[in-house]
Amino acid sequence: MKKIFYLNFIGMLVLLSSGCQKMLDIKPVNSMMPVTIADYESVLLGGYPKQDFYFKTELMTDNAFVNLQTSNTLNRADEPWFVWASTHQLAGVADDPYWGQLYKSVYYANTVLDEFSKRIPSSSEKVLFETVKGEAYALRAFSYFYLVNLYADVYAPETLAEPGVPMPLTAVDIHQNTQNNVRASIEKVWAQIQTDIDQASALLMGKPLKSKFRFNYNSLQLFKARVNLFMGDHEGAIAASTVVMNTRGLFNMNETQAHIDGKDRESEAFTNNYGMIDSDYKNEILFFMAGKANNNIFYHDRAASKPSVELLDLCRRNGVKDYRRFIFDSFADLSTADGIQTGPTIYNMFAKQENGSYHIGLKVSEAYVMRAEAYAKLGRLELAVTDLNHLLVNRIKKEEFVPLKLADFADKNQLLKRIYEERRIEMAFEGGLRWFDLRRLGKPSITHSYKNGQVYTLKEKDPRYVLQIPLSEQINSPEMPLNKR
């Protein structure tokens, strides 16, 4: 009977969350609450994002272009993102699935934390109790990280007092918080993210890995390094990245050569039902998230949205065989009608629909590019070059790899430029990080060409680098300050 009550509770949450897209309009059903710690573990699992909550941001970056030579067109709902419309929502659409998905995750995490604050587990339950509680803190921090990076300005000394996002830390007053919400300051939101990560780290340390679809201590340290880097805490980014690098290794892409050699042509190596993720590269992934990646808007050969040629060119410089080229190269013959329809690029990380895979949320190579950036910014340039070489020796064909030397770079800025390029390749289409990097690294000007050759420009430091507060929230909280346009 308890299990039936629990399943009914989950079912009601799903129905309410899909039917009511207001920011926090997910109502608990008190008569059918879960009871055991294992029940609440299942509740928390329901809070991990099962749908994309970042991928359309890729359309706003320099990693994307629209192939105007193909017969397919960009989805109407994707157009506002690609042309940097004043709002990413279509006219007449009030609900924002990104906002709703992330606040749903916050609500599930808060539900578990509220309940566990009142419990003292038995000795036999302690490990599971601490694991679930730690994951709840981690999930809440992760959700607020995305919310504040999407709907508020960057973390910087001059922005700390500016509006961040609404930040409920309990599910108890859910009914009061569905209207007249208040945006906590950017400083307070980032401080809460740090606090939640610290709480989660203490609880998850030493706990067994349950699944790559759940947070564990190691993946949390990678996330902690990301947060530290974004906040300018370079020593903290180095320390947390080092924990990950000492625990998990990089995948050596030279191992894909045997697979490539088994094909008649290199162009057939990563296509149809075999993507890069189907190699042992998947062992480098620490955390999968956000729904079926095979449905992403860049993977189809005739899709309108494509990885930029600039991104591909970064993988084929200096005439060496960089295996990351296979992730972005369509190998199409652009002198043929079919080749023109396909275009020069395609996203081959994931195979076609037959091999399901979730999006990549956190992976080991991010630790290398983060630590290299942090070392460079602290003036430890030799260490930064060493980290780059550790990454590249695992990405470039071993017979052609030539280690980088500090003397190859005129100054720190030139070294940082190369680090950012390697980060761009490694993180392309993963976790929305390219959009976040463009924001934190100065909000540069970007141009996109679209229908009839019309050119759209996102100007340097353009206010559209911050998404607008959703219309549903504007209606619910009419006094909430909106983002500049």
Side-chain angles (χ1 to χ4, degrees):
M1 183 64 70
K2 182 191 302 181
K3 185 175 181 181
I4 292 173
F5 281 170
Y6 161 68
L7 291 174
N8 286 339
F9 172 71
I10 294 299
M12 186 63 73
L13 281 176
V14 171
L15 286 172
L16 286 168
S17 62
S18 61
C20 302
Q21 294 294 320
K22 300 182 181 66
M23 184 193 81
L24 298 173
D25 204 5
I26 306 172
K27 301 177 177 64
V29 184
N30 294 319
S31 61
M32 293 182 285
M33 291 293 289
V35 177
T36 68
I37 291 174
D39 288 345
Y40 276 96
E41 178 182 32
S42 296
V43 169
L44 184 67
L45 294 183
Y48 278 94
K50 302 298 189 294
Q51 302 296 326
D52 160 41
F53 59 88
Y54 75 86
F55 206 84
K56 291 182 190 296
T57 65
E58 300 292 346
L59 288 168
M60 300 193 290
T61 75
D62 50 0
N63 280 351
F65 83 101
V66 168
N67 180 12
L68 300 176
Q69 306 302 314
T70 186
S71 56
N72 293 309
T73 58
L74 200 62
N75 186 293
R76 181 168 171 264
D78 296 337
E79 286 186 348
W81 301 80
F82 187 70
V83 302
W84 306 291
S86 60
T87 174
H88 57 286
Q89 296 179 265
L90 293 174
V93 177
D95 301 325
D96 178 355
Y98 281 26
W99 180 274
Q101 172 68 80
L102 290 165
Y103 275 110
K104 176 182 175 183
S105 295
V106 169
Y107 173 68
Y108 275 72
N110 282 344
T111 297
V112 171
L113 292 172
D114 284 351
E115 175 62 25
F116 280 24
S117 69
K118 300 177 288 188
R119 291 196 178 206
I120 299 177
S122 66
S123 57
S124 62
E125 295 176 315
K126 186 177 180 182
V127 170
L128 181 59
F129 177 87
E130 291 183 348
T131 299
V132 175
K133 188 175 182 180
E135 283 187 67
Y137 278 121
L139 179 59
R140 188 168 73 181
F142 193 71
S143 301
Y144 280 132
F145 172 84
Y146 275 91
L147 284 163
V148 77
N149 275 288
L150 289 170
Y151 298 98
D153 209 342
V154 296
Y155 183 93
E158 65 274 16
T159 66
L160 296 183
E162 293 183 10
V165 292
M167 195 175 65
L169 300 179
T170 176
V172 173
D173 58 352
I174 192 74
H175 299 294
Q176 287 74 30
N177 283 345
T178 53
Q179 291 185 332
N180 300 319
N181 296 288
V182 176
R183 296 174 68 176
S185 70
I186 289 174
E187 182 176 28
K188 287 183 179 179
V189 176
W190 282 93
Q192 187 62 49
I193 292 169
Q194 286 187 304
T195 297
D196 282 352
I197 289 174
D198 289 343
Q199 295 269 26
S201 295
L203 291 162
L204 292 176
M205 182 179 289
K207 302 300 190 298
L209 170 66
K210 285 185 172 261
S211 166
K212 286 190 176 183
F213 298 93
R214 301 172 62 171
F215 281 107
N216 60 73
Y217 182 77
N218 209 33
S219 60
L220 183 61
Q221 297 319 294
L222 185 54
F223 176 54
K224 180 177 182 178
R226 182 189 294 178
V227 170
N228 287 339
L229 186 72
F230 277 49
M231 297 181 73
D233 178 4
H234 299 124
E235 292 287 3
I238 290 168
S241 294
T242 301
V243 171
V244 177
M245 294 159 72
N246 288 343
T247 307
R248 293 290 297 273
L250 289 165
F251 169 63
N252 190 335
M253 288 187 173
N254 280 272
E255 294 178 19
T256 65
Q257 188 62 53
H259 169 75
I260 295 169
D261 291 341
K263 302 296 180 180
D264 293 335
R265 294 182 293 273
E266 282 193 338
S267 60
E268 298 175 350
F270 297 95
T271 185
N272 295 324
N273 289 325
Y274 194 88
M276 183 62 77
I277 197 70
D278 296 305
S279 70
D280 283 344
Y281 181 79
K282 60 182 174 291
N283 297 328
E284 195 175 308
I285 314 305
L286 302 182
F287 179 60
F288 286 102
M289 67 178 191
K292 194 175 181 182
N294 308 71
N295 291 331
N296 79 77
I297 54 182
F298 296 100
Y299 91 98
H300 195 275
D301 56 354
R302 300 292 178 87
S305 50
K306 292 286 186 175
S308 68
V309 176
E310 182 183 355
L311 182 59
L312 174 60
D313 285 343
L314 289 174
C315 301
R316 41 186 197 187
R317 58 186 162 191
N318 302 326
V320 299
K321 187 171 188 175
D322 187 329
Y323 289 99
R324 294 173 298 183
R325 173 185 180 181
F326 289 92
I327 300 174
F328 307 111
D329 201 334
S330 72
F331 293 97
D333 183 350
L334 300 181
S335 67
T336 66
D338 285 344
I340 291 172
Q341 285 273 324
T342 297
T345 60
I346 189 172
Y347 186 40
N348 290 316
M349 177 62 76
F350 305 98
K352 305 303 185 194
Q353 300 297 333
E354 290 85 350
N355 293 353
S357 179
Y358 266 47
H359 290 278
I360 296 170
L362 295 159
K363 69 178 183 183
V364 177
S365 65
E366 187 181 353
Y368 281 81
V369 291
M370 284 195 294
R371 196 170 79 169
E373 179 183 338
Y375 275 144
K377 287 182 174 176
L378 291 172
R380 303 175 197 170
L381 305 186
E382 288 281 5
L383 292 174
V385 173
T386 297
D387 278 349
L388 276 186
N389 281 326
H390 276 304
L391 174 67
L392 294 175
V393 75
N394 287 283
R395 300 305 193 237
I396 295 172
K397 191 173 184 179
K398 60 183 178 181
E399 294 84 0
E400 301 177 16
F401 172 69
V402 178
L404 299 173
K405 303 183 294 294
L406 184 56
D408 296 334
F409 304 97
D411 53 27
K412 180 174 76 172
N413 289 333
Q414 282 296 311
L415 176 55
L416 278 169
K417 179 176 180 293
R418 180 58 184 268
I419 292 169
Y420 294 146
E421 288 173 349
E422 297 302 331
R423 178 178 172 88
R424 181 179 177 185
I425 299 169
E426 287 292 325
M427 301 295 107
F429 310 114
E430 295 174 14
L433 290 181
R434 183 57 184 168
W435 178 244
F436 293 169
D437 283 346
L438 290 169
R439 282 166 38 96
R440 74 182 178 91
L441 298 176
K443 302 177 183 173
S445 177
I446 307 174
T447 59
H448 283 167
S449 295
Y450 196 35
K451 295 176 180 177
N452 301 317
Q454 184 173 354
V455 175
Y456 293 85
T457 301
L458 184 69
K459 297 177 181 178
E460 183 179 2
K461 302 189 185 306
D462 199 300
R464 291 172 295 175
Y465 264 107
V466 181
L467 297 186
Q468 188 54 274
I469 298 297
L471 179 58
S472 60
E473 187 56 39
Q474 296 179 37
I475 295 170
N476 292 336
S477 306
E479 296 184 8
M480 179 179 288
L482 301 183
N483 294 322
K484 297 175 183 178
R485 284 295 180 264

